[in-house]
């Protein structure tokens, strides 16, 4: 199992409005035997509430990593990304954009807002699971995530 060096699970915030993609992501992580707590919210406003521990998310943990869709209701994914990367308390959290958009403008704007990576979701469910597994291998096996601030 992949976990923090101290043995605690990795907290991942999945910001995704498509229930099928949430289900596939959960299944891929379960199959990969990643010791994680995968939290999901289905719009940008809820993502910001989770990150700032407001409202229904007052007890939310600080995520170690954010998987962010761009096409979200209420608050767009690019606006969430900008809010995270412009906040001194949140900017060190790696954000991986995971979206169906292949538009060059979305890719460019995401990197301008300091995303750590941009992944395009394939339409085929099996390919989607493969993308999640690749994400897992890189971000949770090879990369050292930043320590959680005290």
């Amino acid at each position: 199992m992949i976990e923090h060096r101290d043995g605690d699970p990795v907290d991942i915030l999945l910001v995704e409005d498509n229930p099928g993609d949430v289900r596939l992501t959960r299944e891929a992580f379960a199959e990969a035997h990643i010791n994680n707590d995968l939290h999901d919210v289905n719009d940008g406003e809820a993502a910001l509430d989770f990150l700032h521990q407001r409202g229904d998310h007052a007890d939310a943990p600080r995520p170690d990593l954010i998987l962010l869709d761009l096409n979200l209701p209420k608050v767009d994914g690019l606006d969430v990304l900008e809010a995270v990367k412009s906040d001194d308390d949140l900017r060190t959290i790696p954000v991986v954009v995971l979206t169906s958009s292949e538009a060059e403008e979305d890719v460019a704007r995401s990197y301008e807002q300091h995303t750590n990576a941009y992944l395009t979701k394939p339409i085929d469910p099996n390919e989607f699971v493969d993308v999640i597994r690749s994400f897992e291998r890189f971000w949770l096996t090879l990369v050292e995530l930043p320590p959680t601030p005290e």
Side-chain angles (χ1 to χ4, degrees), residues 48-108:
L48 294 173
D49 287 346
F50 187 99
L51 292 165
H52 292 289
Q53 300 175 315
R54 301 185 295 228
D56 292 341
H57 303 285
D59 295 327
R62 182 181 197 275
D64 299 299
L65 190 65
I66 300 169
L67 277 171
L68 178 66
D69 188 14
L70 292 185
N71 303 310
L72 297 169
K74 297 187 181 179
V75 177
D76 183 73
L78 285 169
D79 293 332
V80 172
L81 178 59
E82 180 180 13
V84 169
K85 294 304 182 177
S86 65
D87 185 307
D88 288 341
D89 294 329
L90 302 175
R91 74 173 37 142
T92 60
I93 301 172
V95 178
V96 176
V97 170
L98 180 62
T99 187
S100 58
S101 173
E102 294 181 28
E104 285 183 24
E105 179 182 325
D106 286 340
V107 175

Side-chain angles (χ1 to χ4, degrees), residues 2-145:
I2 298 159
E3 54 196 23
H4 278 288
R5 292 185 192 276
D6 62 8
D8 289 341
V10 175
D11 279 299
I12 301 168
L13 175 59
L14 174 62
V15 187
E16 174 59 65
D17 63 326
N18 182 325
D21 288 349
V22 172
R23 181 183 52 77
L24 283 173
T25 302
R26 286 189 174 283
E27 288 173 6
F29 276 101
E31 289 174 15
H33 304 290
I34 302 168
N35 185 15
N36 72 84
D37 288 328
L38 183 62
H39 311 274
D40 63 271
V41 294
N42 61 7
D43 65 62
E45 184 177 287
L48 294 173
D49 287 346
F50 187 99
L51 292 165
H52 292 289
Q53 300 175 315
R54 301 185 295 228
D56 292 341
H57 303 285
D59 295 327
R62 182 181 197 275
D64 299 299
L65 190 65
I66 300 169
L67 277 171
L68 178 66
D69 188 14
L70 292 185
N71 303 310
L72 297 169
K74 297 187 181 179
V75 177
D76 183 73
L78 285 169
D79 293 332
V80 172
L81 178 59
E82 180 180 13
V84 169
K85 294 304 182 177
S86 65
D87 185 307
D88 288 341
D89 294 329
L90 302 175
R91 74 173 37 142
T92 60
I93 301 172
V95 178
V96 176
V97 170
L98 180 62
T99 187
S100 58
S101 173
E102 294 181 28
E104 285 183 24
E105 179 182 325
D106 286 340
V107 175
R109 288 185 62 210
S110 294
Y111 281 110
E112 287 168 5
Q113 295 299 333
H114 306 287
T115 190
N116 297 88
Y118 191 102
L119 299 173
T120 303
K121 292 188 269 189
I123 295 172
D124 179 85
N126 292 324
E127 290 178 16
F128 182 86
V129 170
D130 289 342
V131 166
I132 295 300
R133 287 182 180 148
S134 295
F135 159 85
E136 172 272 321
R137 279 190 299 275
F138 181 76
W139 283 100
L140 301 177
T141 304
L142 299 174
V143 172
E144 176 118 12
L145 295 171

